[in-house]
C-alpha cells in the first residue's frame, strides 16, 4: 500500500523498547489518541514484534498505522527457526516495515539481505521503509555514491510498478542517536539527490513521486524546520518516539505545518 497522500508521514521506531507490555500498551494508547485529531499527518509506530498485537487493538484508529522493525528474507513459511515472515506481519495488521536500518546492517544485513527483505515485504502488499545513509561525509561528496549504491543494490532489480510502493528513509548514520540532527538545508539537498537517483532508475515521474523521510536525532523542536526547510515527506523518529510528551508535541507541530 503506497503512501500516496500529501500528508506528512511520521514513523516511530521504538527499537528494543519499552521493557514491558504494559508500558507498550500505554504508549500506543496515547499515540492513538493524539492521531485522531491530526489533519495533515499520518502516524506509524513500529514496536518490537511481541508488542504489535497489543498495540494494534481491535478497532482501527484514524491516521494511526502499525509498522514493524524487520521482516524475514524468507517469503514462505517453513523451517526458518527464529524468523518472522512478512506474511505473519501482514496477518497482524502491519502496513509498514522498516528495512535495512543501519543498526541491522551493522549486525550483518548486507545489501543482498536488504533486497530480499524488501522483496518479501512488497510481496505481501505492505510498504517497505528502506533506510539508507552514509557513515560520514567529506568534501569530495563520496557519500552520494554510497546512497546511490544502496538504492541500486536494494531496488535496482524491481519493476517500476513494484518499486513505486517503496518509501525511502534517509538516515545519515552519524546523525542517529546524536546530539543534533543534520542541518535542514543539507536534508533538502540530499533528498533532491535521492529523488534524482529514483528518476534515473525509473523515470522522471518516480523522482517526483518517491516518498522521502529524514531520520536522525529528530525531536519536537527541530521537526518543523526539517520538514519545511528540508522539504521531506516525513520523519523516521527513534528516541523521541518512546517519549510520549515529546512525540505527541512533534505530531502536533508537524500537523500545524499543514
Ligand atoms: C533511528 O535509529 O532510526 C533514529 C532515527 O534514531 P534517533 O531518532 O534516536 O536518532
Amino acid at each position: 500500500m503506497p503512501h500516496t497522500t500529501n500528508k506528512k508521514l511520521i514513523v516511530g521506531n521504538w527499537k528494543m523498547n519499552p521493557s514491558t507490555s504494559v508500558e507498550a500498551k500505554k504508549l500506543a494508547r496515547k499515540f492513538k489518541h493524539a492521531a485522531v485529531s491530526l489533519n495533515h499527518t499520518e502516524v506509524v509506530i513500529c514496536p518490537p514484534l511481541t508488542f504489535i498485537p497489543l498495540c494494534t487493538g481491535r478497532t482501527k484508529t484514524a491516521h494511526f498505522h502499525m509498522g514493524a522493525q524487520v521482516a524475514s528474507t524468507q517469503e514462505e513459511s517453513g523451517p526458518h527457526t527464529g524468523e518472522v515472515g512478512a506474511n505473519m506481519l501482514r496477518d497482524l495488521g502491519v502496513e509498514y516495515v522498516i528495512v535495512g536500518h543501519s543498526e541491522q546492517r551493522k549486525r550483518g544485513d548486507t545489501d543482498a539481505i536488504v533486497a530480499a527483505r524488501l522483496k518479501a515485504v512488497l510481496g505481501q502488499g505492505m510498504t517497505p521503509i528502506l533506510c539508507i545513509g552514509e557513515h560520514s561525509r567529506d568534501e569530495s561528496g563520496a557519500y552520494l555514491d554510497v546512497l546511490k549504491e544502496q538504492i541500486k543494490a536494494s531496488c535496482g532489480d524491481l519493476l517500476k510498478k513494484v518499486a513505486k510502493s517503496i518509501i525511502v528513509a534517509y538516515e545519515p548514520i552519524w546523525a542517529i542517536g546524536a546530539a543534533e540532527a543534520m542541518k535542514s538545508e543539507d536534508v533538502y539537498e540530499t533528498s533532491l539527490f535521492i529523488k534524482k537517483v529514483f528518476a534515473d532508475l525509473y523515470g522522471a515521474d518516480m523522482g517526483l513521486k518517491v516518498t522521502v523521510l529524514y531520520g536522525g536525532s529528530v525531536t519536537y523542536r527541530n521537526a518543523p524546520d526539517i520538514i519545511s526547510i528540508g522539504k521531506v515527506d516525513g520523519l523516521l523518529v527513534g528516541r523521541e518516539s518512546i517519549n510520549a510528551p515529546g512525540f505527541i508535541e512533534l505530531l502536533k507541530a508537524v500537523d500545524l505545518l499543514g
Side-chain angles (χ1 to χ4, degrees):
M1 195 241 318
H3 176 70
T4 47
T5 69
N6 291 327
K7 292 186 175 184
K8 299 292 173 259
L9 189 69
I10 306 297
V11 183
N13 174 13
W14 290 7
K15 309 193 182 190
M16 205 170 91
N17 296 293
S19 305
T20 68
S21 53
V22 172
E23 289 170 274
K25 266 199 264 188
K26 258 194 218 159
L27 273 181
R29 203 175 311 123
K30 286 181 185 166
F31 299 155
K32 278 182 193 170
H33 189 252
V36 173
S37 14
L38 299 172
N39 296 307
H40 309 286
T41 313
E42 296 291 316
V43 188
V44 180
I45 61 160
C46 304
L49 290 172
T50 52
F51 296 153
I52 289 175
L54 306 170
C55 293
T56 309
R58 287 204 187 110
T59 51
K60 200 149 171 49
T61 305
H63 319 303
F64 180 89
H65 309 269
M66 194 50 63
Q69 297 172 24
V70 68
S72 175
T73 55
Q74 303 297 329
E75 291 181 59
E76 303 286 337
S77 297
H80 314 299
T81 303
E83 296 289 293
V84 176
N87 53 343
M88 299 164 184
L89 296 173
R90 198 193 57 172
D91 183 56
L92 291 180
V94 167
E95 296 172 72
Y96 297 82
V97 183
I98 296 174
V99 176
H101 191 280
S102 58
E103 287 160 11
Q104 285 191 318
R105 291 183 192 256
K106 200 168 145 194
R107 287 199 301 273
D109 270 22
T110 59
D111 282 333
I113 294 175
V114 173
R117 295 196 197 282
L118 191 73
K119 199 163 155 258
V121 170
L122 287 165
Q124 291 298 321
M126 295 183 291
T127 303
I129 301 172
L130 172 66
C131 299
I132 58 167
E134 76 279 2
H135 278 278
S136 58
R137 286 195 157 199
D138 62 22
E139 298 289 298
S140 71
Y143 61 90
L144 295 174
D145 291 333
V146 170
L147 301 177
K148 195 200 282 181
E149 280 317 307
Q150 283 179 336
I151 295 171
K152 280 166 78 180
S154 357
C155 26
D157 289 342
L158 298 172
L159 294 175
K160 181 173 178 174
K161 65 173 189 219
V162 179
K164 66 183 183 198
S165 299
I166 297 172
I167 289 179
V168 178
Y170 170 54
E171 297 209 300
I173 296 170
W174 51 269
I176 295 179
E180 278 182 45
M182 180 184 226
K183 281 203 229 99
S184 300
E185 291 75 8
D186 293 342
V187 171
Y188 177 52
E189 235 179 46
T190 318
S191 74
L192 281 184
F193 176 77
I194 291 167
K195 285 171 193 278
K196 165 134 188 358
V197 174
F198 271 83
D200 290 347
L201 276 176
Y202 294 109
D205 57 328
M206 262 295 262
L208 292 174
K209 277 191 211 138
V210 62
T211 299
V212 180
L213 314 180
Y214 166 80
S217 300
V218 174
T219 65
Y220 72 89
R221 288 196 183 84
N222 59 24
D225 272 1
I226 296 174
I227 295 222
S228 54
I229 301 171
K231 295 194 176 32
V232 279
D233 305 296
L235 303 165
L236 178 51
V237 186
R239 283 160 296 168
E240 192 81 307
S241 74
I242 45 163
N243 163 23
F247 194 60
I248 292 169
E249 205 50 50
L250 185 157
L251 296 176
K252 287 185 188 158
V254 168
D255 203 52
L256 277 179
L257 297 173

